[in-house]
Amino acid sequence: MQCAVPNVFFTDIISTVEFNHTGELLATGDKGGRVNKNPPQFRSEYNVYSTFQSHEPEFDYLKSLEIEEKINKIRWLPQKNAAQFLLSTNDKTIKLWKISERDKRPEGYNLKEEDGRYKDPNSITKLQVPVLIPMDLMVEASPRRVFANAHTYHINSISVNSDNETYLSADDLRINLWHLEITDRSFNIVDIKPANMEELTEVITAAEFHPHQCNTFVYSSSKGTIRMCDMRASALCDKHTKLFEEPEDPSNRSFFSEIISSISDVKFSHNGRYMMTRDYLSVKIWDLNMESRPVETYQVHEYLRSKLCSLYENDCIFDKFECCWNGNDSVVMTGSYNNFFRMFERGHRRDVTLEASRENSKPLQVLKPRKVCAGGKRKKDEISVDSLDFNKKILHTAWHPQDNIIAVATTNNLYIFQDKVI
Amino acid sequence: MNCFPLTFFFLDKPIDRPETLSFTLISISLMKIHNSRTQRGGIKLHKNLLVSYVLRNARQVYIKEKYAEIYRMQQYEEVMTVCNEIQELNPLELDAEDTEDEDLTRTEPEPVYYRSCCMEAPLPSPCDQLPDCCCDAFQCAQSAQSPAKKRKMDFGYCASDLDDFTTSRKRLKREDCLYSCQDFTDTSNISNLISIFGSGFSGLLSRQADLEQICSKQALAGLGAWTRAIVAF
């Protein structure tokens, strides 16, 4: 992979990154509730195209709780016409935004002046046809729907169905099904809240619809399990169709076993045959036809296993890393610390660690693979585990749906990299 | 232990024993739960559930280790009582034995006379070689019934040990007096944590029932510091 472009800088912490279905547009959400859109000016260069404030901080007066404006997830809708639509969500509310371009404006109204003031009817002596004249490109984002008041707990996922009519939203304990046109009603399809909250043992951490089967979705839990549900089976999908779970290795048991087994992200492959899960230390690929264990497991940063105490104290152990597939499902990618991100080539069982940093981001510079020294004598160009900067973390990554272009979000910066063959 | 580059200001000894690590984790976990009440966006259910699991695991290890320690102390006390009784029965031989023991102290730590009553073969334990990873420390504490500790066999060493033991018993007693009204078996303190964020502690509650069967009140009273942290909420 080589770096192609200068960084795009953000003033706030990036909280989500998503390519649209064609890869033409890249949306990022941040902690300040803003959504940025970046289209390429030419191949492989993305610049900020438009920014709009998606969510504002709110206050729940009944519970005396502040609702953060941070964007948790963005999901693009498939394009139907000239306008683009995306869903963005914070902890409580999902919004549907229409993003449209305007590069022409009408001129020559009969009843209005150019500045918008109405003309005196008595001064109108002739009739003219307004014409459209070019103007500077203007990108407009307008909220089309607001889906609110359906989640008691914090929303962690949204996923658009392949039917292009419905989508799901998941919080810690429930999953709701919405119709894109209806905002005052949603259907609860999963509810794992126990009757007695003292018996709570797990929460929902991520959910996604199958890319082709509109009746199928999966959700992951904090216990490291993934449940697949079929909406044809019953209205309430509390009973799963399949349960994907790998038995815990007893030799790895520690104080933090429950934390590191919690799944932070789940993603179907584009072909719909596999799904990928990310827990704290590893990425696992599951065949949808085999529930007993994953077909592939990749260790992202196993050297952190001996550092779990420190990572627990500084809260890094609670970081939720995302993962993504490339366009043909042959490579998976996920982030790590020290602004490292990892790619695993499935077929050839190869992996590489790369770094997203300003020093490595000169245009057309080939990224140098990095290596972490887990123990023993450190070789040249290796970095020791104790030297890793745990404040520099890559939680969000995205891969262009067709090309080998990736977007990697560090805390405040968005890096775009592309493969040199393009 | 290379997994602790942190500064534990409330500890004045290296974290090389499972119960010390577990106590530290208990304190850190309670602090996290406390801080979560004031953070922006409300209490995060997922994070606090995970913290509760660490709390439960650390508590289990801590109680087991405390029980093991109390059990060892009790055994030692019983042994010393028997030794003293035997000694009283043979006062004329005591001087000669003392001299002999002093000699042995210089040369051998194990007096022949007291060997049968004082010595107890240390049980083999993986903790003999405590690795530098908290995973191993956790498993150590889980598996060891009585982790190998250096046994002081002769009377001279026994006396110094008795002092240490007395000191630790005094500490336990002091905490017991301070928190005598805080019955650790009372689930109200645990329920306070539950009410903080409405999450579950079923693991804690069920485990507590099991542990009550094997833990003496003495062991539980020794957890006064932790009880105090809970009450602080």
Side-chain angles (χ1 to χ4, degrees), chain A residues 45-327:
Chain A
E45 182 169 313
Y46 287 78
N47 290 308
V48 179
Y49 175 53
S50 83
T51 303
F52 61 92
Q53 190 73 30
S54 173
H55 289 71
E56 297 280 355
E58 294 175 57
F59 195 81
D60 184 336
Y61 295 100
L62 281 177
K63 297 177 185 173
S64 296
L65 287 177
E66 188 180 5
I67 302 169
E68 279 188 286
E69 67 277 28
K70 178 170 75 84
I71 306 298
N72 292 337
K73 281 289 186 309
I74 291 173
R75 289 289 181 263
W76 291 92
L77 268 60
Q79 190 172 11
K80 288 180 192 174
N81 48 43
Q84 301 276 356
F85 289 85
L86 61 82
L87 287 169
S88 68
T89 184
N90 67 349
D91 285 339
K92 296 288 185 183
T93 305
I94 308 129
K95 293 185 181 179
L96 177 67
W97 290 88
K98 178 183 175 184
I99 295 146
S100 51
E101 293 179 354
R102 187 182 297 196
D103 59 358
K104 295 182 180 58
R105 63 181 176 87
E107 199 176 70
Y109 282 105
N110 289 288
L111 299 177
K112 281 195 294 188
E113 302 285 358
E114 294 304 323
D115 57 6
R117 285 183 298 121
Y118 282 97
K119 290 181 181 174
D120 179 8
N122 298 323
S123 66
I124 301 171
T125 55
K126 58 175 179 159
L127 191 66
Q128 61 181 354
V129 178
V131 292
L132 292 172
I133 59 170
M135 58 176 270
D136 290 338
L137 181 66
M138 190 169 72
V139 179
E140 291 178 325
S142 57
R144 306 299 292 193
R145 304 276 188 276
V146 178
F147 306 90
N149 303 320
H151 286 279
T152 307
Y153 301 95
H154 294 160
I155 296 173
N156 51 58
S157 305
I158 49 175
S159 177
V160 183
N161 203 343
S162 54
D163 63 8
N164 293 331
E165 290 186 356
T166 57
Y167 75 95
L168 64 80
S169 59
D171 65 26
D172 291 324
L173 297 178
R174 298 188 178 101
I175 300 177
N176 294 333
L177 182 69
W178 301 83
H179 193 281
L180 286 165
E181 299 292 333
I182 300 169
T183 60
D184 60 353
R185 203 180 325 153
S186 71
F187 296 93
N188 176 248
I189 51 176
V190 172
D191 189 343
I192 64 168
K193 183 181 177 186
N196 183 359
M197 279 295 278
E198 293 183 10
E199 294 166 1
L200 180 73
T201 57
E202 64 180 331
V203 297
I204 296 169
T205 54
E208 192 176 62
F209 266 120
H210 191 278
H212 311 306
Q213 299 167 13
C214 59
N215 53 286
T216 303
F217 67 93
V218 294
Y219 67 92
S220 59
S221 82
S222 55
K223 275 191 168 178
T225 61
I226 309 103
R227 289 174 172 81
M228 176 180 283
C229 300
D230 188 337
M231 294 194 290
R232 298 170 301 185
S234 67
L236 193 59
C237 297
D238 281 358
K239 279 180 88 174
H240 53 265
T241 309
K242 291 185 182 180
L243 174 66
F244 298 85
E245 187 176 17
E246 183 179 26
E248 185 192 357
D249 181 1
S251 63
N252 280 336
R253 183 101 186 111
S254 75
F255 291 108
F256 312 105
S257 292
E258 287 83 4
I259 299 184
I260 63 174
S261 64
S262 175
I263 293 174
S264 53
D265 195 18
V266 62
K267 290 268 173 46
F268 278 105
S269 61
H270 291 95
N271 60 18
R273 288 181 53 197
Y274 300 95
M275 66 176 174
M276 168 168 53
T277 57
R278 176 72 156 97
D279 51 61
Y280 190 66
L281 295 178
S282 66
V283 164
K284 295 178 182 175
I285 311 288
W286 301 79
D287 187 323
L288 296 187
N289 297 314
M290 188 166 80
E291 301 164 57
S292 56
R293 65 180 187 280
V295 291
E296 296 157 38
T297 301
Y298 301 103
Q299 300 300 332
V300 181
H301 37 219
E302 181 67 14
Y303 46 79
L304 295 183
R305 194 180 287 275
S306 60
K307 304 288 184 188
L308 294 179
C309 288
S310 312
L311 295 167
Y312 177 70
E313 209 214 6
N314 63 18
D315 272 2
C316 282
I317 204 173
F318 301 106
D319 287 335
K320 294 180 184 176
F321 292 95
E322 293 177 4
C323 52
C324 59
W325 298 84
N326 74 334

